[in-house]
Amino acid sequence: MTLTRETPVRLTQYAHGGGCACKIPPGELEDVLGGLAGPRPGTGLPLLVGLATGDDAAVVALPAAGGAPAQAMVSTADFFTPVVDDPYDWGRIAAANALSDVYAMGGRPVLAVNLLAWPRDVLPFDLAREVLRGGLDIAAEAGCHVGGGHSVDDPEPKYGMAVTGLAHPDRLLRNDAGRPGLPLSLTKPLGLGVLNNRHKATGERFAQAVATMVELNRDASAAALAAGAVCATDVTGFGLLGHLHKLARASGVTAVVDTAAVPLLDGAREAVRDGYVSGGTRRNLDWVAPTTDFGTTDTDTRLLLADAQTSGGLLVAGEVPGAPVIGHLVPRGAHTVVLR
């Protein structure tokens, strides 16, 4: 039976997972993508960043013409199932998360198109309109056009965006450019995954989580570039440990993390204590375990560091004003990540 506008709707109950926690596990994804990263002939524009290191977006160099400054085009797509029950908030969160991939490469988003999957015989379209309105508002805040999109009838609601941005080809933020001696900065606190999982299970609303997820990574990206950073990634579905492992592996270094310095959202530790840990977070931890020296770090802290974030912050190899330094990079050792 189709719901009406007057029927209370909890969008998270229509999804098997929530937000970036519904990503395909990183180990399985790498198995699928294995062997597909090689060059393809006849593609035209030079590919600056592709599939090889699992970076946040693809980048191609644009041809200079008429004395115009050199530019590169950044391309990405991101969508997911409802992470919160409020449709407007979900739209804002999904849009901020999609735009984040461009900021994580040091670019600025200029054009986006919506990606919408909707169970048209189950959920009313006025809820879909609120989702799209949230996405439009965040794109407007980012100064990014939304030029249409694509929609499909689907048993499970999903929303996100495909985004195109511009960057300077010599001022990219890449996940393979980390060097020993650089500090590591994290621009948003962790705990989004466990708080979202608690919200899905109980209906409790966590305003601090929503505010963090809808915050654009625009200013953090600009600050990283201004500070001379060349290496960064955003922290989303693979958790801090997963994205840090990818950065360290791609850069040929080891990341040493001061666990006490990692910022956490209010209520995050309590959510872990009470068991609101997603399967995605546990799979993240399993994936990084063979390459991580956990030291004496307790189980709850390990889960928080592997927590599947949605629209998380930037992890930058370098100091970013206002962001805590959570560790540093050293020459490659036996592990890609070491916890202290």
Side-chain angles (χ1 to χ4, degrees), residues 4 34 71 76 102 143 154 183 192 194 198 210 246 253 280 299 322 330:
T4 66
Q71 289 195 104
T76 184
V102 174
D154 192 291
L192 293 164
V194 290
R198 186 166 200 151
V210 173
K246 291 178 66 177
V253 297
T299 300
V330 299

PDB file of all heavy atoms in Angstrom, residues 4 34 71 76 102 143 154 183 192 194 198 210 246 253 280 299 322 330:
ATOM      1  N   THR A   4       0.806   7.809   2.246  1.00  0.00           N
ATOM      2  CA  THR A   4       0.356   9.158   1.920  1.00  0.00           C
ATOM      3  C   THR A   4       1.225  10.164   2.641  1.00  0.00           C
ATOM      4  O   THR A   4       2.044   9.819   3.498  1.00  0.00           O
ATOM      5  CB  THR A   4      -1.109   9.359   2.340  1.00  0.00           C
ATOM      6  OG1 THR A   4      -1.188   9.304   3.774  1.00  0.00           O
ATOM      7  CG2 THR A   4      -1.995   8.272   1.749  1.00  0.00           C
ATOM      8  N   GLY A  34      40.384  -5.560  -9.819  1.00  0.00           N
ATOM      9  CA  GLY A  34      41.720  -6.025 -10.162  1.00  0.00           C
ATOM     10  C   GLY A  34      41.888  -6.255 -11.657  1.00  0.00           C
ATOM     11  O   GLY A  34      41.063  -6.904 -12.297  1.00  0.00           O
ATOM     12  N   GLN A  71      43.982  23.812 -16.831  1.00  0.00           N
ATOM     13  CA  GLN A  71      42.927  23.294 -15.974  1.00  0.00           C
ATOM     14  C   GLN A  71      42.846  21.781 -16.115  1.00  0.00           C
ATOM     15  O   GLN A  71      43.282  21.204 -17.115  1.00  0.00           O
ATOM     16  CB  GLN A  71      41.574  23.907 -16.337  1.00  0.00           C
ATOM     17  CG  GLN A  71      41.413  25.366 -15.978  1.00  0.00           C
ATOM     18  CD  GLN A  71      39.961  25.788 -16.030  1.00  0.00           C
ATOM     19  OE1 GLN A  71      39.299  25.944 -15.012  1.00  0.00           O
ATOM     20  NE2 GLN A  71      39.464  25.992 -17.227  1.00  0.00           N
ATOM     21  N   THR A  76      33.323  12.502 -10.689  1.00  0.00           N
ATOM     22  CA  THR A  76      33.019  11.523  -9.651  1.00  0.00           C
ATOM     23  C   THR A  76      31.518  11.278  -9.594  1.00  0.00           C
ATOM     24  O   THR A  76      30.729  12.036 -10.160  1.00  0.00           O
ATOM     25  CB  THR A  76      33.514  12.007  -8.269  1.00  0.00           C
ATOM     26  OG1 THR A  76      33.294  10.983  -7.295  1.00  0.00           O
ATOM     27  CG2 THR A  76      32.768  13.266  -7.839  1.00  0.00           C
ATOM     28  N   VAL A 102      35.256  15.877  -5.058  1.00  0.00           N
ATOM     29  CA  VAL A 102      35.930  16.915  -5.831  1.00  0.00           C
ATOM     30  C   VAL A 102      36.834  17.736  -4.918  1.00  0.00           C
ATOM     31  O   VAL A 102      37.993  18.020  -5.252  1.00  0.00           O
ATOM     32  CB  VAL A 102      34.908  17.818  -6.546  1.00  0.00           C
ATOM     33  CG1 VAL A 102      35.611  18.987  -7.236  1.00  0.00           C
ATOM     34  CG2 VAL A 102      34.095  17.012  -7.547  1.00  0.00           C
ATOM     35  N   GLY A 143      28.032  26.608  -4.838  1.00  0.00           N
ATOM     36  CA  GLY A 143      28.198  27.329  -6.090  1.00  0.00           C
ATOM     37  C   GLY A 143      28.266  26.405  -7.285  1.00  0.00           C
ATOM     38  O   GLY A 143      28.923  26.705  -8.284  1.00  0.00           O
ATOM     39  N   ASP A 154      12.936   1.711  -8.153  1.00  0.00           N
ATOM     40  CA  ASP A 154      13.790   0.769  -7.452  1.00  0.00           C
ATOM     41  C   ASP A 154      13.117   0.376  -6.142  1.00  0.00           C
ATOM     42  O   ASP A 154      12.483   1.209  -5.496  1.00  0.00           O
ATOM     43  CB  ASP A 154      15.151   1.435  -7.169  1.00  0.00           C
ATOM     44  CG  ASP A 154      16.209   0.453  -6.701  1.00  0.00           C
ATOM     45  OD1 ASP A 154      16.076  -0.066  -5.577  1.00  0.00           O
ATOM     46  OD2 ASP A 154      17.177   0.225  -7.432  1.00  0.00           O
ATOM     47  N   PRO A 183      52.879  15.640   8.785  1.00  0.00           N
ATOM     48  CA  PRO A 183      51.842  15.368   9.786  1.00  0.00           C
ATOM     49  C   PRO A 183      50.533  14.983   9.095  1.00  0.00           C
ATOM     50  O   PRO A 183      50.350  15.222   7.891  1.00  0.00           O
ATOM     51  CB  PRO A 183      51.697  16.707  10.514  1.00  0.00           C
ATOM     52  CG  PRO A 183      52.091  17.723   9.489  1.00  0.00           C
ATOM     53  CD  PRO A 183      53.163  17.077   8.640  1.00  0.00           C
ATOM     54  N   LEU A 192      30.251   9.175  12.908  1.00  0.00           N
ATOM     55  CA  LEU A 192      29.026   9.336  12.134  1.00  0.00           C
ATOM     56  C   LEU A 192      28.329   8.002  11.903  1.00  0.00           C
ATOM     57  O   LEU A 192      27.101   7.911  11.962  1.00  0.00           O
ATOM     58  CB  LEU A 192      29.345  10.001  10.794  1.00  0.00           C
ATOM     59  CG  LEU A 192      29.822  11.452  10.893  1.00  0.00           C
ATOM     60  CD1 LEU A 192      30.473  11.887   9.588  1.00  0.00           C
ATOM     61  CD2 LEU A 192      28.660  12.364  11.249  1.00  0.00           C
ATOM     62  N   VAL A 194      28.333   5.102  13.692  1.00  0.00           N
ATOM     63  CA  VAL A 194      27.657   4.496  14.840  1.00  0.00           C
ATOM     64  C   VAL A 194      26.457   5.330  15.277  1.00  0.00           C
ATOM     65  O   VAL A 194      25.427   4.784  15.717  1.00  0.00           O
ATOM     66  CB  VAL A 194      28.629   4.272  16.018  1.00  0.00           C
ATOM     67  CG1 VAL A 194      29.623   3.162  15.682  1.00  0.00           C
ATOM     68  CG2 VAL A 194      29.360   5.546  16.412  1.00  0.00           C
ATOM     69  N   ARG A 198      22.612   4.040  15.255  1.00  0.00           N
ATOM     70  CA  ARG A 198      21.724   4.169  16.422  1.00  0.00           C
ATOM     71  C   ARG A 198      20.421   4.866  16.015  1.00  0.00           C
ATOM     72  O   ARG A 198      19.337   4.484  16.467  1.00  0.00           O
ATOM     73  CB  ARG A 198      22.434   4.948  17.526  1.00  0.00           C
ATOM     74  CG  ARG A 198      21.642   4.996  18.822  1.00  0.00           C
ATOM     75  CD  ARG A 198      22.467   5.473  20.003  1.00  0.00           C
ATOM     76  NE  ARG A 198      21.840   5.058  21.250  1.00  0.00           N
ATOM     77  CZ  ARG A 198      22.484   4.813  22.379  1.00  0.00           C
ATOM     78  NH1 ARG A 198      23.806   4.949  22.421  1.00  0.00           N
ATOM     79  NH2 ARG A 198      21.841   4.419  23.447  1.00  0.00           N
ATOM     80  N   VAL A 210      24.158  15.271  11.975  1.00  0.00           N
ATOM     81  CA  VAL A 210      23.611  15.884  10.763  1.00  0.00           C
ATOM     82  C   VAL A 210      24.411  17.131  10.389  1.00  0.00           C
ATOM     83  O   VAL A 210      24.778  17.328   9.227  1.00  0.00           O
ATOM     84  CB  VAL A 210      22.119  16.226  10.950  1.00  0.00           C
ATOM     85  CG1 VAL A 210      21.587  17.019   9.755  1.00  0.00           C
ATOM     86  CG2 VAL A 210      21.297  14.952  11.138  1.00  0.00           C
ATOM     87  N   LYS A 246      44.774   3.026   2.450  1.00  0.00           N
ATOM     88  CA  LYS A 246      44.884   3.257   1.005  1.00  0.00           C
ATOM     89  C   LYS A 246      45.880   4.373   0.700  1.00  0.00           C
ATOM     90  O   LYS A 246      46.666   4.269  -0.238  1.00  0.00           O
ATOM     91  CB  LYS A 246      43.507   3.586   0.423  1.00  0.00           C
ATOM     92  CG  LYS A 246      42.539   2.422   0.414  1.00  0.00           C
ATOM     93  CD  LYS A 246      41.182   2.832  -0.136  1.00  0.00           C
ATOM     94  CE  LYS A 246      41.269   3.206  -1.595  1.00  0.00           C
ATOM     95  NZ  LYS A 246      39.922   3.541  -2.153  1.00  0.00           N
ATOM     96  N   VAL A 253      54.358   4.654   2.225  1.00  0.00           N
ATOM     97  CA  VAL A 253      54.762   5.085   3.561  1.00  0.00           C
ATOM     98  C   VAL A 253      53.967   4.311   4.599  1.00  0.00           C
ATOM     99  O   VAL A 253      53.087   3.511   4.276  1.00  0.00           O
ATOM    100  CB  VAL A 253      54.529   6.603   3.746  1.00  0.00           C
ATOM    101  CG1 VAL A 253      55.391   7.407   2.780  1.00  0.00           C
ATOM    102  CG2 VAL A 253      53.057   6.953   3.576  1.00  0.00           C
ATOM    103  N   GLY A 280      29.272  -2.937   7.973  1.00  0.00           N
ATOM    104  CA  GLY A 280      30.292  -2.306   7.148  1.00  0.00           C
ATOM    105  C   GLY A 280      31.511  -1.910   7.954  1.00  0.00           C
ATOM    106  O   GLY A 280      32.659  -2.064   7.495  1.00  0.00           O
ATOM    107  N   THR A 299      39.263  -2.505  21.811  1.00  0.00           N
ATOM    108  CA  THR A 299      38.357  -2.885  20.732  1.00  0.00           C
ATOM    109  C   THR A 299      37.431  -1.751  20.330  1.00  0.00           C
ATOM    110  O   THR A 299      37.200  -1.512  19.132  1.00  0.00           O
ATOM    111  CB  THR A 299      37.535  -4.116  21.137  1.00  0.00           C
ATOM    112  OG1 THR A 299      38.420  -5.206  21.415  1.00  0.00           O
ATOM    113  CG2 THR A 299      36.571  -4.516  20.034  1.00  0.00           C
ATOM    114  N   GLY A 322      43.220  24.920  12.198  1.00  0.00           N
ATOM    115  CA  GLY A 322      41.954  24.611  12.857  1.00  0.00           C
ATOM    116  C   GLY A 322      41.634  23.139  12.953  1.00  0.00           C
ATOM    117  O   GLY A 322      40.677  22.756  13.637  1.00  0.00           O
ATOM    118  N   VAL A 330      55.745   8.095   8.163  1.00  0.00           N
ATOM    119  CA  VAL A 330      57.140   7.679   8.321  1.00  0.00           C
ATOM    120  C   VAL A 330      57.483   6.757   7.158  1.00  0.00           C
ATOM    121  O   VAL A 330      56.599   6.313   6.417  1.00  0.00           O
ATOM    122  CB  VAL A 330      57.356   6.950   9.669  1.00  0.00           C
ATOM    123  CG1 VAL A 330      57.024   7.855  10.843  1.00  0.00           C
ATOM    124  CG2 VAL A 330      56.539   5.656   9.735  1.00  0.00           C
TER     125      VAL A 330
END
